[in-house]
Amino acid sequence: MVCLLLATYVPETVSADYNEACATCQRVLPILNRAGAASLDEMVKVRREAASLVDRLSAAFEWTSATAELYTLCCHTADILETFGSLGRYSEQGLEAWHGHYNDNVRLYTADTFP
């Protein structure tokens, strides 16, 4: 949705880079948001695609500098993914998903979960 909204502001001369950056996001986000562990192939894909994403966005918006989030995505996300297997399970959404799981299965968890 964000890619579509911003597309109207992208100059025609850099629209190919912008469109490819958006496509890269669509390929990588499902891996990064998933709570399940990523495969080795997916980890390699994230490392390659993250660098491509930054290159394409930098080409499309050359007058801006990389944000801290973009820098983290490019330089650290693949390392974190390889170390922990998943980013999604450590996000706020992941914690909320577990909260929902416990609420849905409250009869299975009758004992206190915290001392």
Side-chain angles (χ1 to χ4, degrees):
M1 179 65 95
V2 172
C3 285
L4 290 175
L5 291 173
L6 291 177
T8 59
Y9 300 104
V10 176
E12 186 66 33
T13 56
V14 294
S15 65
D17 285 317
Y18 178 75
N19 290 334
E20 183 54 35
C22 290
T24 300
C25 279
Q26 290 177 342
R27 290 189 298 268
V28 175
L29 284 178
I31 298 169
L32 299 180
N33 289 336
R34 188 177 63 223
S39 69
L40 183 57
D41 288 340
E42 290 173 323
M43 292 178 194
V44 169
K45 179 180 181 177
V46 167
R47 185 172 299 281
R48 182 184 63 247
E49 298 278 14
S52 171
L53 173 67
V54 173
D55 290 344
R56 296 291 187 167
L57 285 176
S58 296
F61 301 102
E62 61 187 23
W63 62 91
T64 63
S65 60
T67 64
E69 292 85 0
L70 192 56
Y71 171 80
T72 300
L73 175 66
C74 178
C75 298
H76 300 294
T77 298
D79 294 332
I80 294 168
L81 189 63
E82 289 173 3
T83 301
F84 296 107
S86 171
L87 273 67
R89 74 174 64 141
Y90 302 105
S91 69
E92 181 181 355
Q93 292 87 355
L95 292 173
E96 289 300 325
W98 274 110
H99 185 237
H101 168 78
Y102 284 116
N103 284 343
D104 291 344
N105 296 285
V106 69
R107 63 180 169 71
L108 300 175
Y109 305 106
T110 58
D112 289 337
T113 55
F114 296 102

